[in-house]
């Protein structure tokens, strides 16, 4: 959870420092605040597919898969191929009717 606060904060400081030292002197744009730089970081994440955010989501998913095998996991792996096909068929049919 700390990562979701630390990474945008550090990135925001870096973006703010670079913007205020380079872009203001080269292009003449106004200086930005810390919160605006975090906004730029989040906007960049959204526009680029969120490579950092998706990395943490992916790592979280891998962690939960490797460390949490509940009843559903055991049930799915004990199913035969025919039972899995039937389950998938029923789920597709159910969601197509909604």
């Amino acid at each position: 959870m700390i990562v979701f606060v630390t990474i945008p904060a550090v990135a925001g400081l870096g973006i703010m420092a670079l913007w205020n030292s380079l872009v203001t002197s080269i292009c003449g744009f106004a200086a930005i605040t810390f919160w605006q730089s975090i906004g730029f970081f989040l906007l960049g994440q959204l526009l680029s597919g969120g490579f950092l955010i998706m990395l943490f989501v992916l790592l979280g998913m891998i962690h939960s898969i490797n460390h949490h095998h509940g009843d559903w996991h055991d049930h799915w792996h004990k199913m035969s191929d025919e039972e899995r096909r039937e389950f998938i068929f029923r789920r597709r049919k159910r969601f197509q009717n909604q």
Side-chain angles (χ1 to χ4, degrees):
M1 190 58 159
I2 290 176
V3 172
F4 288 108
V5 175
T6 305
I7 295 222
V10 170
L13 288 171
I15 291 168
M16 184 178 70
L18 288 170
W19 181 280
N20 290 339
S21 65
L22 296 174
V23 177
T24 56
S25 62
I26 295 170
C27 300
F29 292 158
I32 62 172
T33 65
F34 173 71
W35 296 109
Q36 289 171 326
S37 65
I38 289 180
F40 275 133
F41 172 73
L42 294 176
L43 179 64
Q45 290 296 299
L46 291 172
L47 293 176
S48 68
F51 67 95
L52 285 178
I53 294 170
M54 289 308 296
L55 175 67
F56 290 113
V57 169
L58 180 64
L59 290 174
M61 288 172 48
I62 291 170
H63 176 77
S64 68
I65 289 170
N66 289 336
H67 292 92
H68 181 71
H69 296 293
D71 294 333
W72 175 244
H73 180 268
D74 293 335
H75 178 69
W76 179 260
H77 285 285
K78 290 178 183 174
M79 284 181 172
S80 68
D81 289 339
E82 184 58 37
E83 289 172 324
R84 286 188 194 136
R85 280 193 286 277
E86 178 63 28
F87 172 80
I88 293 169
F89 175 76
R90 285 194 316 263
R91 294 290 288 189
R92 284 183 182 161
K93 187 175 176 183
R94 174 200 243 175
F95 285 107
Q96 287 174 353
N97 292 334
Q98 290 182 352

